[in-house]
């Protein structure tokens, strides 16, 4: 995804250990692919009809498109980045060419930060819904689309240096995908990435949820909320908070590896090879659990899933089975008489 795009271990792992680790990582990436796509598609099938629900609340009309946006970002990650990463594990060097080298690394960062800023927008909307319930925000489809496009734009903005500096190079007859940014510029870029693009929004989310938790659980009641509104806000806040916490916790190891990697040589050692792949696996696995969080904590997602599973064909099958059981019962009664 970043500096670990194509480097392979040249020392620290024997040939047998390297082969076994490649097979293990390839199996885990396949598992993430097979679990992530069905779960994300199922979540989209539930969320998209919910956008058109006539009785949706004002905040739901704003947060709904953001949740769809996050699911679409996850789907793009599973369909493009995970297969490329799988091929990168299976093959020595970089087999995909220049275009995939640039798009794979840059798009990865775009998706991560677009996801992150979508979560930030959800946090701010939850804050307004709980602490400023009388405040009315524009909830037209145009405004919702504008917020989603803004998250993509911000994610693309932070990845501009990667679009410029990633390239394929030949080393001892092998092709590698590397970041050619000078070391000092790379260090400055990572500091700006963490200190300006990530840390301030993260602190803002922490502040929002601290105020929300205080209002919903510590104070126990808000004068402007009914009992049902209070319960609904609590459930929505728990789901959003769990999503944010798992996102940060499962991406921190990956970014630690990125920040600790000073040059490509470090990634050719066994420990760094294992650390980079394990942290990438953990980061990708985070996107697999998003549907689980939604279906576990959101009553709307649970209702949508039940509605989706109640297909007309299934109902007809149950009705026919019921009639057969009734007929069988009737014949049994007739034979006894």
């Amino acid at each position: 995804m970043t500096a670990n795009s194509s480097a392979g271990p040249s020392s620290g792992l024997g040939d047998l250990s390297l082969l076994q680790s490649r097979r293990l990582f390839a199996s885990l990436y396949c598992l993430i692919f097979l679990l992530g796509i069905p779960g994300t598609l199922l979540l989209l099938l539930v969320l998209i009809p919910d956008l058109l629900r006539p009785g949706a609340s004002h905040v739901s009309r704003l947060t709904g498109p953001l949740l769809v946006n996050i699911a679409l970002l996850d789907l793009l990650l599973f369909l493009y980045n995970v297969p490329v990463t799988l091929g990168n594990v299976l093959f020595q060097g970089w087999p995909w060419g220049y275009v995939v080298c640039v798009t794979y690394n840059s798009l990865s960062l775009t998706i991560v930060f677009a996801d992150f800023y979508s979560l930030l927008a959800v946090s701010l909307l939850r804050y307004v819904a709980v602490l400023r319930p009388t405040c009315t925000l524009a909830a037209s489809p145009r405004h919702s689309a504008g917020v989603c496009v803004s998250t993509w734009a911000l994610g693309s903005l932070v990845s501009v240096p990667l679009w410029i500096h990633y390239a394929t190079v030949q080393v001892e007859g092998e092709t590698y995908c590397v970041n050619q940014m000078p070391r000092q510029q790379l260090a400055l870029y990572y500091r700006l990435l963490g200190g300006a693009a990530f840390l301030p929004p993260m602190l803002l989310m922490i502040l929002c949820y601290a105020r929300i938790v205080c209002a919903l659980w510590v104070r126990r009641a808000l004068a402007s909320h009914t009992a049902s509104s209070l319960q609904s806000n609590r459930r929505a806040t728990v789901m959003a908070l769990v999503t944010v916490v798992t996102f940060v916790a499962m991406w921190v190891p990956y970014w630690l590896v990125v920040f600790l990697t000073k040059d490509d040589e470090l990634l050719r050692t066994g420990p760094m090879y294992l650390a980079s792949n394990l942290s990438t696996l953990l980061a990708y696995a985070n996107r697999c659990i998003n549907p689980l969080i939604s279906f576990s904590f959101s009553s709307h997602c649970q209702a949508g899933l039940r509605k989706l599973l109640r297909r007309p064909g299934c109902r007809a099958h149950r009705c026919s089975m019921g009639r057969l059981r009734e007929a069988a019962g009737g014949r049994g009664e007739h034979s006894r008489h």
Side-chain angles (χ1 to χ4, degrees):
M1 284 162 56
T2 52
N4 60 339
S5 295
S6 64
S10 63
S11 63
L13 284 176
D15 291 340
L16 181 59
S17 298
L18 175 60
L19 179 61
Q20 291 174 341
S21 65
R22 284 183 182 275
R23 288 176 177 174
L24 175 61
F25 287 133
S27 301
L28 292 174
Y29 282 120
C30 285
L31 181 62
I32 287 174
F33 180 83
L34 294 174
L35 292 177
I37 289 183
T40 305
L41 286 174
L42 187 62
L43 183 61
L44 282 171
L45 289 174
V46 169
L47 288 175
I48 291 176
D50 198 51
L51 293 178
L52 307 176
R53 186 164 52 90
S57 66
H58 183 77
V59 175
S60 296
R61 290 197 300 271
L62 288 169
T63 56
L66 286 168
L67 296 178
V68 171
N69 187 46
I70 292 173
L72 289 173
L73 287 163
D74 292 346
L75 186 62
L76 179 59
L77 188 79
F78 289 128
L79 290 175
Y80 184 63
N81 291 83
V82 173
V84 173
T85 306
L86 174 61
N88 190 32
V89 169
L90 291 175
F91 300 106
Q92 178 69 25
W94 181 259
W96 306 111
Y98 171 78
V99 174
V100 177
C101 170
V102 175
T103 56
Y104 164 72
N105 291 279
S106 307
L107 191 60
S108 294
L109 196 66
T110 299
I111 291 172
V112 171
F113 275 90
D115 259 334
F116 180 62
Y117 292 133
S118 297
L119 292 174
L120 173 63
V122 171
S123 305
L124 294 173
L125 289 171
R126 296 303 332 155
Y127 178 87
V128 172
V130 173
L131 297 175
R132 300 287 187 273
T134 58
C135 178
T136 302
L137 299 175
S140 67
R142 183 170 59 88
H143 288 95
S144 300
V147 174
C148 294
V149 170
S150 298
T151 63
W152 281 81
L154 290 172
S156 300
L157 182 63
V158 300
S159 65
V160 166
L162 301 187
W163 290 97
I164 297 173
H165 291 98
Y166 258 98
T168 54
V169 297
Q170 294 286 331
V171 179
E172 298 178 355
E174 288 286 352
T175 302
Y176 293 100
C177 175
V178 297
N179 189 337
Q180 295 185 314
M181 192 183 303
R183 186 176 301 179
Q184 290 184 344
Q185 292 183 18
L186 187 62
L188 177 61
Y189 171 63
Y190 283 153
R191 291 192 190 100
L192 289 173
L193 203 61
F198 181 80
L199 187 59
M202 188 71 247
L203 293 176
L204 181 57
M205 279 197 284
I206 292 173
L207 178 62
C208 285
Y209 282 115
R211 295 288 304 277
I212 291 171
V213 169
C214 179
L216 292 179
W217 280 275
V218 177
R219 296 182 199 169
R220 297 291 180 183
L222 294 172
S224 53
H225 288 278
T226 63
S228 60
S229 171
L230 202 61
Q231 184 65 22
S232 175
N233 276 310
R234 283 178 176 175
R235 288 177 64 91
T237 298
V238 169
M239 187 186 80
L241 187 56
V242 170
T243 302
V244 170
V245 170
T246 55
F247 177 87
V248 173
M250 297 180 76
W251 276 94
V252 163
Y254 171 78
W255 286 111
L256 286 176
V257 171
V258 171
F259 293 147
L260 292 174
T261 303
K262 301 302 181 184
D263 53 50
D264 288 336
E265 286 299 319
L266 284 177
L267 287 174
R268 301 191 181 197
T269 65
M272 284 303 295
Y273 171 78
L274 294 174
S276 63
N277 277 284
L278 286 173
S279 60
T280 303
L281 276 168
L282 185 64
Y284 283 159
N286 171 249
R287 315 322 298 159
C288 288
I289 67 174
N290 271 353
L292 295 177
I293 293 173
S294 297
F295 291 128
S296 298
F297 293 98
S298 172
S299 57
H300 292 310
C301 287
Q302 292 168 3
L305 182 61
R306 288 192 295 269
K307 184 178 179 181
L308 184 66
L309 295 178
R310 290 172 186 162
R311 297 190 299 257
C314 295
R315 288 198 296 270
H317 175 72
R318 287 195 294 268
C319 290
S320 62
M321 291 299 293
R323 285 195 293 268
L324 286 173
R325 284 194 294 268
E326 290 175 3
R331 287 195 297 272
E333 290 292 330
H334 179 72
S335 63
R336 283 195 295 270
H337 288 297

